[in-house]
Amino acid sequence: MAEPYDLVVRSRRVVTASGERPAAVAVRGRTIAEVAAYDAPLDAREQVELGETALLPGLVDTHVHVNEPGRTHWEGFATATRAAAAGGVTTVLDMPLNSIPPTVDAAALAVKRRAAAGQCLVDVGFWGGAIPGNLGALRELHRAGVYGFKCFLSHSGVEEFPPLDDAGLHAVLAEAASFDGLVIVHAEDPRLLGEPAGPGYRDFLASRPALAERRAVERVVAAARRTGARVHILHVSSASCLEPLAGARREGVRVTAETCPHYLALAEEDVRGPEFKCCPPIRDAANRDALWRGLAEGVLDCVVSDHSPATVELKTGGFDTAWGGISSLQLGLPVVWTEASRRGHGLPDVVRWMAERPAALVGLDRRKGAIAVGRDADLVAFDTGATFTVRAEELYHRNPTTPYHGRTLTGVVRATWLRGRPVTGEARGELL
C-alpha cells in the first residue's frame, strides 16, 4: 500500500500552467506530489474540499520594502510577512533599502538575515544594492545569495542609498554580466525631474513627467545592449515606456519589466491625499488602460506590489513633503483581480503575472510560482466572487495607511498554505 499523502486539496477551479480545471492537488511533505482528477480516490491524512473556491499557487512578490533593521517602525519582517500571507503571497523578496544598513555588501546582508530569522510567516529572499563605491562588493553579494542588484538613476529618498550616474550604471552592468547577475533599476532620469511647485497632486505629477521614465528606460536599454547584462525595469508607471521596451526585446536585449497594482487600479482622478503618493507617480486613466494593454501583450512581465510603507506621520502633509510609497502587500491579489476580471482577463493571467513570471525572473521557478509536481506546496484558496471593503486599520502591515481604504474589492483569500501547511501565526518561513 502506498503511503497516504499528507494533504489533498480539491477544487473545481485549480489554476495550473495549462489553465483552469477541476483537480485534486496532493501534497507529500513540503512539495506537490500529484495533480490528479478532481474526483480521484486519493488517500490522505487531511482532505480539504474547496468546491468553486479557486486554488492558486502562492504568489511571488519580488518588490517589497520590509525596512528592518533600522526603520522597523515603518515595517518589519513579522508584520510584512503576516500581511503577505493574508494576501496569498508565500514568497517575498526584500529590497536593499530602506533598512539601515542598506544591503550593499555581504556584512549588511548578514545583518538583514539575522534580523529576519525567526520572524517570517512566508519565505523571504533578498536583493542586494548597487550604489557608487560598492562595485567590488557585488560578486561577493551574489555568492552570498542575493537575487540581483537594485540601483537608482535618481534620488532614492534616503541618503544612504545614492543613485548611479551613466558611468556607474555601465560599470555595474558590466560587472553583473561577468557572472550573469540581474540588475533591477528604478528608472527615472534625474535631469527631467524637478521639485513640486506646491503641495497639490498636479504639482507633484508635473515634477515627475512621463518623459523622465522613458528617457531612463532608454538609458538602461542602451547600457544593457552594450554590456550584455540582464536588466529589469521596476514599477513602470508610464505607458510611454512600452515602446522602447518592446523594441529592445525585438533586438534581443535581455530586458524585462514590471508594473504594480496601484498603476493598474488607480488613476490621477482617484487621488485624494498623500497615501496615494508614490514614485514614479500614478498617472491618468488613459495611461492606465495602456499599461493593461502592455501587460496583455507581454511587454510588461510581472505585477508586484512595491510595498513601500512608512509611518502615518510621514504620509501626511502635502505631496511635496509626504513620503512616497504605497502600502498594498496584503491587497495586491484582490486589487488586480478586481480590475483584471472587469477587463476580460482570467485567473490564469493573474497567476502568470503574479506568481509564474516573478518566480522565473529570480530563478525560483523550479520551486515556486506554479501548481505542478515537484514544486513547493505553496497554495492559496481564493474566493473570486466574494467582495469586501478595505479598512486600513484591519490590515496587517505595521502602519494603518493605504490608498485603498474604503474601496470595495472583489476576491477574498480564504486560506494560504506554505509548503503544505496552513499559514497561521507560526513563523515557519525560510530565508531563501
Coordinates of all heavy atoms in Angstrom, one line a residue, residues 60-63 127 182 184 232-236 249 255-261 263-264 291-292 294-296 298-306 336 349-362:
V60 N 4.3 35.3 -5.8 CA 5.7 35.6 -5.5 C 5.8 37.1 -5.8 O 5.6 37.6 -6.9 CB 6.6 34.8 -6.5 CG1 8.1 35.3 -6.3 CG2 6.5 33.3 -6.3
D61 N 6.1 37.8 -4.7 CA 6.2 39.3 -4.8 C 7.7 39.7 -4.6 O 8.3 39.6 -3.6 CB 5.4 39.9 -3.6 CG 5.2 41.5 -3.8 OD1 6.1 42.1 -4.5 OD2 4.3 42.0 -3.3
T62 N 8.2 40.1 -5.8 CA 9.7 40.4 -5.8 C 10.0 41.8 -5.5 O 11.2 42.2 -5.7 CB 10.2 40.0 -7.2 OG1 9.5 40.7 -8.2 CG2 10.1 38.5 -7.4
H63 N 9.1 42.6 -5.0 CA 9.3 44.0 -4.8 C 8.7 44.5 -3.5 O 7.6 45.0 -3.5 CB 8.8 44.8 -5.9 CG 9.4 46.2 -6.0 ND1 9.6 46.9 -7.2 CD2 9.8 47.1 -5.0 CE1 10.1 48.1 -6.9 NE2 10.2 48.2 -5.6
W127 N 17.3 41.1 -2.1 CA 18.1 41.8 -3.2 C 19.3 42.5 -2.6 O 19.2 42.9 -1.4 CB 17.2 42.9 -3.8 CG 16.0 42.4 -4.6 CD1 14.7 42.5 -4.3 CD2 16.0 41.8 -5.9 NE1 13.9 42.0 -5.2 CE2 14.7 41.6 -6.3 CE3 17.1 41.5 -6.8 CZ2 14.4 41.0 -7.5 CZ3 16.7 41.0 -8.0 CH2 15.4 40.7 -8.4
L182 N 21.6 39.8 -12.2 CA 20.5 40.6 -12.6 C 20.5 41.9 -12.0 O 20.7 42.0 -10.8 CB 19.2 39.8 -12.3 CG 17.8 40.6 -12.5 CD1 17.6 40.8 -14.0 CD2 16.7 39.8 -11.9
I184 N 18.3 45.3 -11.4 CA 16.9 45.9 -11.4 C 17.0 47.4 -11.1 O 17.8 47.8 -10.3 CB 16.0 45.2 -10.4 CG1 16.5 45.4 -9.0 CG2 16.0 43.7 -10.7 CD1 15.5 44.7 -7.9
H232 N 16.2 44.6 -15.4 CA 14.7 44.5 -15.2 C 14.3 45.9 -14.7 O 14.9 46.5 -13.8 CB 14.4 43.5 -14.1 CG 13.0 43.4 -13.7 ND1 12.0 42.8 -14.5 CD2 12.3 43.9 -12.6 CE1 10.9 42.9 -13.9 NE2 11.0 43.6 -12.7
I233 N 13.3 46.5 -15.4 CA 12.8 47.8 -15.1 C 11.7 47.7 -14.0 O 10.7 47.0 -14.2 CB 12.3 48.5 -16.3 CG1 13.3 48.5 -17.4 CG2 11.8 49.9 -16.0 CD1 14.6 49.3 -17.1
L234 N 11.9 48.4 -12.9 CA 11.0 48.3 -11.8 C 9.8 49.3 -12.1 O 9.9 50.3 -12.7 CB 11.7 48.7 -10.5 CG 12.8 47.8 -10.1 CD1 13.7 48.5 -9.0 CD2 12.3 46.4 -9.7
H235 N 8.6 48.9 -11.5 CA 7.4 49.7 -11.3 C 7.2 50.7 -12.5 O 7.2 51.9 -12.3 CB 7.4 50.5 -10.0 CG 8.7 51.2 -9.6 ND1 9.4 52.0 -10.4 CD2 9.4 51.2 -8.4 CE1 10.5 52.4 -9.8 NE2 10.5 51.9 -8.6
V236 N 7.0 50.2 -13.6 CA 6.7 51.0 -14.8 C 5.3 51.7 -14.6 O 4.3 51.0 -14.4 CB 6.7 50.2 -16.1 CG1 6.2 51.1 -17.3 CG2 8.0 49.7 -16.4
R249 N 13.4 44.3 -26.8 CA 13.2 42.8 -26.8 C 13.4 42.3 -28.3 O 13.9 41.2 -28.5 CB 11.9 42.5 -26.2 CG 11.9 42.7 -24.7 CD 10.6 42.2 -24.2 NE 10.6 42.2 -22.7 CZ 9.7 41.7 -21.9 NH1 8.6 41.2 -22.5 NH2 9.8 41.8 -20.6
V255 N 16.0 42.4 -21.4 CA 15.3 43.3 -20.5 C 13.9 42.8 -20.2 O 13.2 42.3 -21.1 CB 15.2 44.7 -21.1 CG1 14.5 44.7 -22.5 CG2 14.6 45.7 -20.2
T256 N 13.5 42.9 -19.0 CA 12.1 42.6 -18.5 C 11.6 43.8 -17.8 O 12.4 44.7 -17.5 CB 12.1 41.3 -17.6 OG1 13.0 41.5 -16.6 CG2 12.4 40.1 -18.4
A257 N 10.3 43.8 -17.4 CA 9.7 44.9 -16.8 C 8.5 44.5 -16.0 O 7.9 43.5 -16.3 CB 9.4 46.0 -17.8
E258 N 8.2 45.3 -15.0 CA 7.1 45.1 -14.1 C 6.3 46.3 -14.0 O 6.7 47.4 -14.3 CB 7.6 44.7 -12.7 CG 8.2 45.9 -11.9 CD 8.9 45.5 -10.6 OE1 9.4 44.4 -10.5 OE2 8.8 46.3 -9.7
T259 N 5.0 46.1 -13.6 CA 4.2 47.2 -13.1 C 3.6 46.8 -11.7 O 3.9 45.7 -11.2 CB 3.2 47.7 -14.1 OG1 2.6 48.9 -13.7 CG2 2.1 46.6 -14.3
C260 N 2.7 47.7 -11.2 CA 2.2 47.4 -9.8 C 0.7 47.6 -9.8 O 0.1 48.2 -10.7 CB 2.9 48.5 -8.9 SG 4.7 48.4 -8.9
P261 N 0.1 47.0 -8.8 CA -1.4 47.1 -8.7 C -1.9 48.5 -8.7 O -2.9 48.8 -9.3 CB -1.7 46.4 -7.4 CG -0.6 45.4 -7.2 CD 0.6 46.1 -7.8
Y263 N -0.8 51.1 -10.2 CA -0.8 51.7 -11.6 C -1.9 51.1 -12.5 O -2.3 51.7 -13.4 CB 0.5 51.6 -12.3 CG 1.7 52.2 -11.5 CD1 2.8 51.5 -11.2 CD2 1.6 53.5 -11.0 CE1 3.9 52.0 -10.5 CE2 2.7 54.1 -10.3 CZ 3.8 53.3 -10.1 OH 4.8 53.9 -9.4
L264 N -2.3 49.9 -12.1 CA -3.4 49.2 -12.9 C -4.8 49.5 -12.4 O -5.8 49.3 -13.1 CB -3.1 47.7 -12.9 CG -1.8 47.3 -13.5 CD1 -1.6 45.8 -13.2 CD2 -1.8 47.5 -15.0
L291 N -1.3 50.6 -19.9 CA -0.5 49.7 -19.2 C -1.1 48.3 -19.2 O -0.4 47.3 -19.3 CB -0.3 50.1 -17.7 CG 0.6 51.4 -17.5 CD1 0.5 51.7 -16.0 CD2 2.0 51.1 -18.0
W292 N -2.4 48.2 -19.1 CA -3.1 46.9 -19.2 C -2.9 46.3 -20.6 O -2.7 45.1 -20.7 CB -4.6 47.1 -19.0 CG -5.0 47.1 -17.6 CD1 -5.4 48.1 -16.8 CD2 -5.1 45.9 -16.7 NE1 -5.6 47.7 -15.5 CE2 -5.5 46.4 -15.4 CE3 -4.9 44.6 -16.9 CZ2 -5.7 45.5 -14.4 CZ3 -5.1 43.7 -15.9 CH2 -5.5 44.1 -14.6
G294 N -0.2 46.7 -22.4 CA 1.2 46.3 -22.4 C 1.3 45.0 -21.6 O 2.2 44.1 -22.0
L295 N 0.6 44.8 -20.5 CA 0.6 43.6 -19.8 C 0.0 42.5 -20.6 O 0.6 41.4 -20.6 CB -0.2 43.8 -18.5 CG -0.1 42.8 -17.3 CD1 1.3 42.7 -16.9 CD2 -1.0 43.2 -16.2
A296 N -1.1 42.7 -21.2 CA -1.8 41.6 -22.0 C -0.9 41.2 -23.2 O -0.9 40.0 -23.6 CB -3.1 42.1 -22.6
G298 N 2.4 41.2 -23.2 CA 3.6 40.6 -22.7 C 4.8 41.6 -22.7 O 5.9 41.2 -22.4
V299 N 4.6 42.9 -22.9 CA 5.7 43.8 -22.8 C 6.0 44.0 -21.4 O 7.2 44.2 -21.0 CB 5.3 45.2 -23.5 CG1 6.5 46.2 -23.4 CG2 4.9 44.9 -25.0
L300 N 5.0 44.0 -20.5 CA 5.2 44.0 -19.1 C 5.1 42.6 -18.6 O 4.1 41.9 -18.9 CB 4.2 44.9 -18.4 CG 4.3 46.4 -18.7 CD1 3.1 47.2 -18.1 CD2 5.6 47.0 -18.3
D301 N 6.0 42.1 -17.8 CA 6.1 40.7 -17.4 C 5.3 40.4 -16.2 O 4.6 39.4 -16.1 CB 7.5 40.3 -17.2 CG 8.4 40.4 -18.5 OD1 8.9 41.6 -18.7 OD2 8.5 39.5 -19.2
C302 N 5.5 41.3 -15.2 CA 5.1 40.9 -13.8 C 4.2 42.0 -13.2 O 4.3 43.2 -13.6 CB 6.3 40.8 -12.9 SG 7.6 39.7 -13.5
V303 N 3.4 41.7 -12.2 CA 2.7 42.6 -11.4 C 3.2 42.3 -9.9 O 2.9 41.2 -9.4 CB 1.2 42.6 -11.5 CG1 0.5 43.6 -10.6 CG2 0.8 42.7 -13.0
V304 N 3.8 43.3 -9.3 CA 4.3 43.1 -7.9 C 4.0 44.4 -7.1 O 3.7 45.4 -7.7 CB 5.8 42.8 -7.9 CG1 6.1 41.4 -8.5 CG2 6.6 43.9 -8.7
S305 N 4.1 44.3 -5.8 CA 3.4 45.3 -5.0 C 4.2 46.7 -5.0 O 3.6 47.7 -4.9 CB 3.2 44.8 -3.6 OG 4.5 44.7 -2.9
D306 N 5.5 46.6 -4.9 CA 6.3 47.8 -4.5 C 5.8 48.3 -3.2 O 5.5 49.5 -3.0 CB 6.4 48.9 -5.5 CG 7.4 50.0 -5.1 OD1 8.2 49.8 -4.2 OD2 7.4 51.0 -5.8
V336 N -5.8 43.4 -8.2 CA -5.5 43.1 -9.6 C -6.7 42.2 -10.1 O -7.2 42.5 -11.3 CB -4.2 42.3 -9.7 CG1 -4.0 41.8 -11.1 CG2 -3.0 43.2 -9.4
D349 N -4.3 34.3 -16.2 CA -3.5 35.5 -16.5 C -2.9 36.1 -15.2 O -1.7 36.5 -15.2 CB -4.4 36.6 -17.2 CG -4.9 36.1 -18.5 OD1 -4.2 35.6 -19.3 OD2 -6.1 36.3 -18.7
V350 N -3.7 36.2 -14.2 CA -3.3 36.8 -12.9 C -2.2 36.0 -12.3 O -1.2 36.5 -11.8 CB -4.5 36.9 -12.0 CG1 -4.0 37.4 -10.6 CG2 -5.5 37.9 -12.5
V351 N -2.3 34.6 -12.4 CA -1.3 33.8 -11.9 C 0.0 33.9 -12.6 O 1.1 33.9 -12.1 CB -1.8 32.3 -11.9 CG1 -0.6 31.3 -11.7 CG2 -2.8 32.1 -10.8
R352 N -0.1 34.1 -13.9 CA 1.1 34.3 -14.8 C 1.8 35.5 -14.3 O 3.1 35.6 -14.2 CB 0.7 34.3 -16.2 CG 1.9 34.4 -17.2 CD 1.5 34.2 -18.6 NE 0.6 35.2 -19.1 CZ -0.7 34.9 -19.3 NH1 -1.3 33.8 -19.0 NH2 -1.5 35.9 -19.8
W353 N 1.1 36.6 -14.1 CA 1.7 37.9 -13.8 C 2.2 38.0 -12.4 O 3.2 38.7 -12.1 CB 0.6 39.0 -14.0 CG 0.1 39.2 -15.4 CD1 0.8 38.9 -16.6 CD2 -1.2 39.6 -15.8 NE1 -0.1 39.1 -17.6 CE2 -1.3 39.6 -17.2 CE3 -2.4 40.0 -15.0 CZ2 -2.5 39.9 -17.9 CZ3 -3.5 40.3 -15.7 CH2 -3.6 40.3 -17.1
M354 N 1.5 37.3 -11.5 CA 1.8 37.5 -10.0 C 2.5 36.3 -9.4 O 2.9 36.4 -8.2 CB 0.6 37.9 -9.3 CG -0.1 39.1 -9.8 SD -1.6 39.6 -8.9 CE -0.7 40.5 -7.5
A355 N 2.7 35.2 -10.1 CA 3.3 34.0 -9.5 C 4.4 33.5 -10.4 O 5.6 33.4 -10.1 CB 2.3 33.0 -9.1
E356 N 3.9 33.0 -11.6 CA 4.8 32.3 -12.5 C 6.0 33.2 -13.0 O 7.2 32.8 -12.9 CB 4.0 31.9 -13.7 CG 4.8 31.2 -14.8 CD 4.0 30.9 -16.0 OE1 2.8 30.6 -15.9 OE2 4.6 30.9 -17.2
R357 N 5.7 34.4 -13.5 CA 6.8 35.2 -14.1 C 7.7 35.8 -13.0 O 8.9 35.9 -13.2 CB 6.2 36.3 -15.0 CG 5.7 35.7 -16.3 CD 5.1 36.7 -17.2 NE 4.7 36.2 -18.5 CZ 4.0 36.9 -19.4 NH1 3.7 38.1 -19.2 NH2 3.7 36.3 -20.6
P358 N 7.1 36.3 -11.9 CA 8.1 36.8 -10.8 C 9.0 35.7 -10.4 O 10.2 35.9 -10.1 CB 7.2 37.3 -9.7 CG 5.9 37.6 -10.4 CD 5.7 36.6 -11.5
A359 N 8.5 34.4 -10.2 CA 9.4 33.3 -9.8 C 10.5 33.1 -10.9 O 11.6 32.9 -10.6 CB 8.5 32.1 -9.6
A360 N 10.1 33.1 -12.2 CA 11.0 32.9 -13.2 C 12.1 34.1 -13.3 O 13.3 33.8 -13.5 CB 10.3 32.8 -14.6
L361 N 11.6 35.3 -13.0 CA 12.6 36.4 -13.0 C 13.8 36.2 -12.1 O 14.9 36.5 -12.5 CB 11.8 37.7 -12.6 CG 12.7 38.9 -12.4 CD1 13.1 39.5 -13.7 CD2 11.9 40.0 -11.6
V362 N 13.5 35.6 -11.0 CA 14.6 35.5 -10.0 C 15.1 34.0 -9.9 O 15.9 33.7 -9.0 CB 14.2 36.0 -8.6 CG1 13.9 37.5 -8.7 CG2 13.0 35.2 -8.1

